[in-house]
Amino acid sequence: MEKQLRILLTEDDPNLGMLLQEYLKAKNYDVELARDGNEGLDFFLNKGNFDMCILDVMMPKKDGFSLAKEIRLKDANVPIIFLTAKSMKEDTIQGFKSGADDYITKPFSMEELLMRIAAIFRRVNKQEEEVIPAEFSVGQYTFDTTAHKLIFKGESQKLTTKESELLKLFCQNLNKPVSRSLALKLIWGDDSYFNARSMDVYITKLRKHLKGDGNLQILNLHGEGFKLITG
């Protein structure tokens, strides 16, 4: 039996949201419907393993562009389609900068949306056939995310699971800020005070592991989070 693909749909218009959900379910997709950006992020983090995200842009609490950026911190590859009434060139550019694979302006036909979904899944399936090593080159270090190993000048350092997950998150966002709250939710499950203290300990450990390269630093960003920088 063919695997049922899972789609996260965020749409604050209740009528359109239910219509899209029912239509896509009728086409054999498993669809979770979120009513705002915060609920969309919660679904993505806690109901995981989505094959695609379809995000409305103009939503309460968190807009679709912001939601897409936070989803990209968790999964750099999940396909994202934006649904929006906006049609200006600048909005389209912002959408793609936020990580969009496609951008559909309302009103649109259900058949058009279905064809675009299918086209993206065909492309993704071709990409998945290629074997991509789960490895990062950061400064003078090589980080093997599968083996949880950090290699520096031929010497290998075994990382704990938490160290490895944190470093992977930083490597995926090299030279970009990573929200403290989001990192805690992704790796520890929630952003409680005690988990925050625990993460600070792991940040200190990672800094010691990376001290061999003087150009590589994990910066504290006051009130925001952290940033792994090179040079």
Side-chain angles (χ1 to χ4, degrees), residues 28-175:
N28 201 36
Y29 291 109
D30 179 11
V31 183
E32 288 280 356
L33 174 60
R35 304 295 186 182
D36 59 59
N38 282 347
E39 189 175 49
L41 181 61
D42 179 63
F43 281 10
F44 190 83
L45 295 179
N46 298 307
K47 295 189 176 184
N49 300 318
F50 288 101
D51 298 291
M52 176 179 287
C53 299
I54 301 176
L55 311 179
D56 185 27
V57 171
M58 300 301 292
M59 292 186 294
K61 300 182 182 179
K62 190 189 302 289
D63 65 77
F65 295 146
S66 300
L67 175 57
K69 289 177 181 177
E70 294 190 317
I71 285 173
R72 282 281 175 255
L73 291 176
K74 172 67 174 176
D75 189 332
N77 299 312
V78 64
I80 294 175
I81 296 177
F82 281 123
L83 304 179
T84 181
K86 291 187 172 184
S87 58
M88 292 176 62
K89 181 180 179 182
E90 292 79 5
D91 295 319
T92 306
I93 292 171
Q94 185 181 353
F96 284 112
K97 283 183 177 179
S98 300
D101 292 85
D102 208 343
Y103 193 103
I104 302 179
T105 303
K106 300 175 184 176
F108 55 86
S109 71
M110 295 293 192
E111 290 77 11
E112 179 188 5
L113 175 61
L114 196 65
M115 286 189 291
R116 293 191 185 218
I117 291 171
I120 289 174
F121 279 136
R122 282 196 299 271
R123 188 180 73 240
V124 168
N125 288 337
K126 287 181 181 178
Q127 291 173 346
E128 287 179 348
E129 292 173 1
E130 302 173 4
V131 178
I132 303 173
E135 192 173 278
F136 291 95
S137 293
V138 191
Q140 298 178 49
Y141 288 86
T142 299
F143 174 38
D144 184 335
T145 63
T146 304
H148 295 187
K149 287 183 179 179
L150 192 60
I151 303 162
F152 179 67
K153 295 183 177 178
E155 294 189 6
S156 178
Q157 168 74 49
K158 182 74 173 178
L159 302 181
T160 66
T161 300
K162 286 285 193 295
E163 288 171 343
S164 185
E165 289 176 348
L166 260 180
L167 185 56
K168 183 178 179 180
L169 183 60
F170 291 147
C171 288
Q172 288 174 324
N173 297 277
L174 188 63
N175 296 313

Side-chain angles (χ1 to χ4, degrees), residues 182-196:
L182 189 63
L184 283 166
K185 289 177 181 177
L186 290 176
I187 298 171
W188 273 265
D190 66 66
D191 57 356
S192 70
Y193 172 82
F194 294 104
N195 284 339

Side-chain angles (χ1 to χ4, degrees), residues 5-23:
L5 296 170
R6 298 191 68 224
I7 295 176
L8 171 62
L9 171 64
T10 65
E11 172 58 63
D12 68 318
D13 181 325
N15 293 326
L16 179 57
M18 288 186 64
L19 185 65
L20 287 171
Q21 183 182 37
E22 292 305 314
Y23 177 78

